[in-house]
Amino acid sequence: MKKFTNARIYRQHDELAEILVDKGVIKQIGKGLPKADTEIDLGGRLVVPPYVDPHLHLDYVYTGGGKAAKNTTGTLFEGIERWHEVKKTQTPEDARERALKGIAEEVSKGVQFIRTHIDVDDPKLIGLKVMLELREQLKDNVTIQIVAFPQEGMYAYKGGDEMIEEALKMGADCVGGIPHFEWAREFGEKSVHRTVELAAKYGKLVDVHCDETDDVMSRHVELLNALVMMQDIGVRSTASHTCSFGSANDSWAFRMLGLFKKSGMNFIANPTENAYLQGRQDTYPKRRGLTRVKEMWESGINVCFGQDSINDPWYPVGNGNMMNILDNGIHLAHTMSFDQLDRCLDLITSNGAKTLHLEDQYGIEAGKPANFLVLNAETPFEAVRQRADVLASIRNGEYLFKRPEPTYDIKLDLFRKTK
Ligand code: FE2
């Protein structure tokens, strides 16, 4: 038995609480709990569920620095062209080494749950095979979900739809798509139909790169939402990016928000990535690249934030720091009322877990795995204002890491005498 004392549990206890853990599972939360063999004093710090990165490309990480990968225009479409070149040089050893480094970088910043899109427009399926192995090998340290993702199209890439089906048979968890990249709207729509058909056929989750463009005519999210609603798999489905929904007219958006709520579909925004990629054809004003996070959040539609890229042809400076993603996201989305600041950590924790459909294994509650973070702050507001570091990440009751609180020796002397 282990007991964590003096914890301020996010959105549960204003007062200090104790967390009793037995065999890696939370047995009880409260005050005056029975003594344990090991007692760890958390010193009144904020305890939150682990960070969830619901959208990351682990096969692309650290490919952004090479010559073939340099994206000179900063656009999504040049990123895809650059990746096409890099992909030709990929080996299993290289893919494994980079993915491991990317996972370690995220875990070191408090992430314990990752959904990764893996490009299956590859006859050798190198990235997928590597990731299926890592998902199993690392499951005690980090939970990984894999999306079979056709980066170069389901139809724009010859045989892309067949590669997705093969990936699902091999064990991918989710069906992906990229309808705005297909060569005509008709093929984009066909790809959305195929995505939902495959999800229903194989009992998989859905996560589509949907309308990642400023083009207001890109409205595949409407079809995706309708199809998952008809199949009654809305809560098992996700629309990622939906940047064009941020530029859509208010009348259509109002209608859609009602339908999104009805379907229960989840939304993932990638604030830093899309702030970088979108608005590139705008002069001024330049768009922010973000979907309607504020309106979704306020109307009860599940929305969360993802990192998307760690140093790849689409975005050079991602580092797996979800607090940085949250910081950028709440600024870009105008979601910074005091009430929102008190609960915006949901956008990188529980809302992500809901998107990944992980409710049975996620959350600081009795009966669930003892997975949580200790932040270097005492309140949610201070955690966000200070962009608080993660002091410890605990998984199944054991430390994944812990680090000391930073100390500084700064002497401010306003009355320093000068000679
Ligand atoms: Fe992505």
Side-chain angles (χ1 to χ4, degrees), residues 3 10 21 29 38 147 174 213 229 284 341 343 374 382:
K3 191 164 78 170
Y10 174 59
V21 175
I29 297 173
T38 311
V147 184
C174 314
T213 164
M229 190 151 48
Y284 288 91
L341 289 169
R343 58 194 173 88
V374 182
E382 279 302 308

Side-chain angles (χ1 to χ4, degrees), residues 194-405:
R194 187 71 184 136
T195 298
V196 177
E197 276 168 21
L198 286 169
K201 183 175 175 184
Y202 292 95
K204 304 283 184 174
L205 303 168
V206 169
D207 192 336
V208 174
H209 279 64
C210 199
D211 308 325
E212 190 180 1
T213 164
D214 293 321
D215 176 7
V216 293
M217 300 295 283
S218 188
R219 291 180 165 191
H220 297 96
V221 69
E222 176 180 314
L223 178 61
L224 177 65
N225 186 66
L227 292 173
V228 298
M229 190 151 48
M230 285 171 191
Q231 290 286 341
D232 202 20
I233 55 169
V235 295
R236 294 171 56 82
S237 303
T238 300
S240 281
H241 298 290
T242 60
C243 307
S244 73
F245 193 60
S247 298
N249 76 66
D250 291 336
S251 178
W252 181 70
F254 175 80
R255 166 80 171 135
M256 282 301 106
L257 286 167
L259 288 171
F260 296 158
K261 181 130 193 238
K262 202 169 172 185
S263 77
M265 186 163 73
N266 306 288
F267 285 80
I268 300 173
N270 298 292
T272 53
E273 172 100 7
N274 285 124
Y276 176 85
L277 289 173
Q278 308 313 133
R280 291 281 177 170
Q281 290 81 40
D282 293 346
T283 52
Y284 288 91
K286 284 185 186 295
R287 278 170 282 189
R288 298 175 174 214
L290 205 66
T291 192
R292 297 185 183 218
V293 171
K294 182 171 185 274
E295 291 73 13
M296 289 174 180
W297 198 22
E298 285 174 352
S299 57
I301 294 163
N302 190 48
V303 59
C304 56
F305 289 149
Q307 166 71 76
D308 207 0
S309 289
I310 294 180
N311 185 16
D312 69 19
W314 290 267
Y315 180 60
V317 293
N319 66 0
N321 185 339
M322 295 306 291
M323 184 58 84
N324 178 54
I325 299 298
L326 178 65
D327 183 15
N328 279 275
I330 60 174
H331 281 85
L332 292 167
H334 281 170
T335 47
M336 295 182 72
S337 69
F338 283 100
D339 172 54
Q340 287 165 333
L341 289 169
D342 276 344
R343 58 194 173 88
C344 68
L345 283 161
D346 287 1
L347 296 166
I348 55 169
T349 59
S350 54
N351 289 14
K354 191 173 178 189
T355 300
L356 268 59
H357 220 55
L358 292 171
E359 288 93 332
D360 57 334
Q361 51 180 300
Y362 186 88
I364 305 175
E365 292 169 34
K368 293 195 172 170
N371 301 335
F372 52 86
L373 308 177
V374 182
L375 301 189
N376 192 15
E378 292 193 354
T379 65
F381 177 85
E382 279 302 308
V384 175
R385 189 183 76 79
Q386 297 280 8
R387 287 76 168 170
D389 287 336
V390 179
L391 291 181
S393 178
I394 289 143
R395 177 116 167 151
N396 300 319
E398 304 292 332
Y399 284 116
L400 277 177
F401 69 78
K402 63 174 169 172
R403 56 172 66 98
E405 185 178 348

Side-chain angles (χ1 to χ4, degrees), residues 43 90 118 140 175:
Q90 191 179 218
I118 299 296
D140 291 340
V175 193

